[in-house]
Amino acid sequence: MRFSQIMKENIMATNRFITLGQMRDITSDILSSTGYPLQWKGSVEAVPIEDIIEIDYGLEWKWGDLNGISEELVMAALYPGTREIILNQSCRELFNEKYGTMMFSLAHEFGHWILHAEDLEGLQLDLFENYVFYCRSNREKSRIEYQADLFAGCLLMPETIIVPMIQDLRNTKMEITWQRLYRIANDFQVSISALTTRLEQLKLLYIDSRKIIYRSREEAMGQQKLF
């Protein structure tokens, strides 16, 4: 099932489950349409999320005051009616320090636009005219927030790039260390937590509670049984 079909089914049912495979197809279609190369060629080209948002989809992103909206810290928000993504001015120092967190926040809100609010092929935005999608810093998230996170991870770290990249590292006997993971996160312009979440999601590695990196959960369980 391709992008437009999935969108039609989900635009009026924002809590509907979207599989990892469907999200891969949605984000791959977006990247292909913007000219982003989806083939691994030995190096990482960060997804130009800012250009995609503004140039390809006609949304505006800017800084604004999002304090007082919630008891929790609101990092960003999507206002569908005005086609705006607002980044919280209070988070500017954090975003400057952790640029990958800013890129993920933009991709998260863009995900809300694509998955939950876009006016596609005659579908109406009226229901969303006064609706706002917030990106909060809390750990407890609704289904649509998980959908937006999944979208952001799939968009910023395409499967067709990250899978062969890790396979190449293993084929050349290169150990996947934390230092290497931080370099990869920097290449993708994402946070280290976003990268490790994506790698675990694709079953490319497993990190236990002690922050030890394994090739898989099964390998970790096997090692623990030895001791």
Side-chain angles (χ1 to χ4, degrees):
M1 185 180 294
R2 302 305 288 174
F3 169 57
S4 60
Q5 293 173 296
I6 296 169
M7 272 300 305
K8 287 178 182 178
E9 294 181 5
N10 282 280
I11 191 71
M12 300 304 291
T14 57
N15 283 318
R16 180 170 180 155
F17 178 71
I18 300 176
T19 68
L20 180 60
Q22 289 173 324
M23 201 70 80
R24 178 198 60 221
D25 290 345
I26 291 171
T27 53
S28 292
D29 281 354
I30 290 170
L31 292 172
S32 293
S33 69
T34 61
Y36 178 86
L38 285 170
Q39 296 80 33
W40 169 243
K41 297 181 179 179
S43 62
V44 173
E45 179 180 331
V47 171
I49 183 61
E50 297 159 290
D51 289 344
I52 290 174
I53 287 172
E54 291 190 322
I55 298 173
D56 295 291
Y57 281 82
L59 303 175
E60 179 183 7
W61 75 267
K62 59 186 180 181
W63 298 96
D65 182 9
L66 297 177
N67 294 326
I69 293 173
S70 169
E71 293 180 359
E72 307 156 31
L73 175 64
V74 175
M75 303 181 75
L78 166 70
Y79 292 81
T82 55
R83 302 174 69 95
E84 293 177 318
I85 294 174
I86 307 297
L87 295 177
N88 194 343
Q89 180 69 37
S90 296
C91 297
R92 197 161 194 160
E93 185 175 343
L94 168 66
F95 287 148
N96 286 338
E97 180 182 347
K98 299 182 177 181
Y99 186 69
T101 300
M102 175 178 163
M103 295 299 100
F104 195 88
S105 296
L106 283 173
H108 175 102
E109 296 303 333
F110 179 49
H112 280 310
W113 174 260
I114 293 295
L115 301 173
H116 308 128
E118 188 181 16
D119 182 12
L120 181 70
E121 294 181 1
L123 295 175
Q124 297 301 307
L125 258 177
D126 296 345
L127 291 176
F128 299 100
E129 194 66 33
N130 298 311
Y131 199 89
V132 183
F133 294 93
Y134 296 115
C135 177
R136 296 180 173 88
S137 60
N138 67 328
R139 294 184 179 180
E140 294 183 8
K141 296 185 178 182
S142 66
R143 175 164 288 184
I144 66 170
E145 294 305 314
Y146 276 113
Q147 288 180 348
D149 275 354
L150 181 61
F151 174 94
C154 290
L155 185 75
L156 297 176
M157 294 165 279
E159 185 174 331
T160 54
I161 302 295
I162 203 166
V163 171
M165 178 193 69
I166 295 297
Q167 290 173 341
D168 275 3
L169 289 175
R170 287 180 173 156
N171 290 339
T172 54
K173 308 296 184 183
M174 288 190 182
E175 183 182 0
I176 299 178
T177 63
W178 278 107
Q179 184 179 22
R180 190 173 299 282
L181 288 178
Y182 272 98
R183 287 202 297 267
I184 293 171
N186 184 65
D187 290 340
F188 277 110
Q189 294 185 355
V190 298
S191 67
I192 188 66
S193 61
L195 173 66
T196 54
T197 296
R198 181 72 170 133
L199 291 173
E200 289 188 306
Q201 182 184 85
L202 292 169
K203 302 187 187 315
L204 295 172
L205 55 69
Y206 174 76
I207 300 171
D208 70 9
S209 59
R210 299 167 296 169
K211 302 299 181 183
I212 297 176
I213 302 169
Y214 296 93
R215 291 173 67 97
S216 66
R217 180 185 289 271
E218 290 72 25
E219 181 183 75
M221 297 302 104
Q223 288 292 324
Q224 290 171 13
K225 288 179 181 179
L226 294 176
F227 299 98

